[in-house]
Amino acid sequence: EDQVTQSPEALRLQEGESSSLNCSYTVSGLRGLFWYRQDPGKGPEFLFTLYSAGEEKEKERLKATLTKKESFLHITAPKPEDSATYLCAVPRSIYGGATNKLIFGTGTLLAVQP
Amino acid sequence: ETGVTQTPRHLVMGMTNKKSLKCEQHLGHNAMYWYKQSAKKPLELMFVYSLEERVENNSVPSRFSPECPNSSHLFLHLHTLQPEDSALYLCASSQDSGAGNTIYFGEGSWLTVV
């Protein structure tokens, strides 16, 4: 069964203290791995898509990497405004392969203290 | 400003009421989705529409009824809901419904059933 597991559940960092979030997945035939950021009371905001092992993408203080079994979201010198829940998801084809269903993890709640 | 707009942002309804959630996407996409987000649970796919054609999701109770009059608009009609249906309901869209397409979310509609 397709599954996405994120760790840790929660992470508290001091401003400037770099760290990484983990997303491990089991899915047959990976068609991409997605990272989203979700602020309290809002919908998920798209960050990155990674399609193949070894791929890396960066956006400001965030860098996402992908291996055959997991993805990491590295946060370099975080600021308080980076505080949010970070979600990862993988797509699974349903209904004969024509339809996209994202399987989400439960997220990592990141708190960056000044 | 998001490309996917949801109204209302907050809704409180009794178990005997009938209400509707509305979604509009301004991205020119051909696929639209309803997701449900409950506390401490991963996002769950409820319904998918591709080019205004509904893809059934048999696990969703019939008290939730989607409607897609055109490729830019999506509704979720609610009737005789239960308190456990209280959650954040997220509308989303993608270029098409194939796996691997990036899905963009709206801000969500917070539903409380009393």
Side-chain angles (χ1 to χ4, degrees), chain A residues 31-32 34 36 38 40-44 46 49 51 87 91-95 97-102 104-106, chain B residues 9 33 35 37 40-43 45 48 55-58 88 90 97-107 110:
Chain A
R31 293 176 177 82
F34 296 82
Y36 289 85
Q38 187 173 25
K42 295 190 175 182
F46 170 70
T49 309
Y51 287 105
L87 302 169
R92 179 164 69 89
S93 291
I94 56 174
Y95 306 121
T99 301
N100 185 12
K101 175 178 180 176
L102 280 182
F104 279 88
T106 52
Chain B
R9 290 297 317 281
Y33 310 79
Y35 276 82
Q37 189 174 30
K40 304 294 185 183
K41 289 186 179 180
L43 276 78
L45 178 65
V48 181
V55 177
E56 292 291 341
N57 186 323
N58 295 328
L88 179 65
L90 292 160
S97 63
N101 275 271
T102 299
I103 293 180
Y104 296 90
F105 289 87
E107 296 284 86
W110 281 100

Side-chain angles (χ1 to χ4, degrees), chain B:
Chain B
E1 181 183 335
T2 177
V4 180
T5 305
Q6 291 187 239
T7 56
R9 290 297 317 281
H10 299 272
L11 177 63
V12 179
M13 60 184 290
M15 288 188 284
T16 59
N17 290 161
K18 290 185 179 180
K19 296 286 184 182
S20 297
L21 305 180
K22 178 183 175 182
C23 176
E24 182 176 0
Q25 60 98 357
H26 312 276
L27 301 170
H29 289 167
N30 294 316
M32 295 188 77
Y33 310 79
W34 281 114
Y35 276 82
K36 176 183 178 181
Q37 189 174 30
S38 304
K40 304 294 185 183
K41 289 186 179 180
L43 276 78
E44 304 170 59
L45 178 65
M46 299 178 72
F47 299 103
V48 181
Y49 274 85
S50 177
L51 293 171
E52 303 150 48
E53 185 173 329
R54 173 176 167 181
V55 177
E56 292 291 341
N57 186 323
N58 295 328
S59 64
V60 180
S62 60
R63 56 186 183 270
F64 295 93
S65 175
E67 178 190 359
C68 186
N70 55 62
S71 60
S72 298
H73 293 86
L74 186 65
F75 295 88
L76 187 62
H77 302 300
L78 316 168
H79 61 98
T80 59
L81 295 191
Q82 304 298 312
E84 57 265 29
D85 295 322
S86 299
L88 179 65
Y89 289 85
L90 292 160
C91 176
S93 71
S94 62
Q95 185 60 54
D96 63 58
S97 63
N101 275 271
T102 299
I103 293 180
Y104 296 90
F105 289 87
E107 296 284 86
S109 292
W110 281 100
L111 173 66
T112 302
V113 182
V114 297

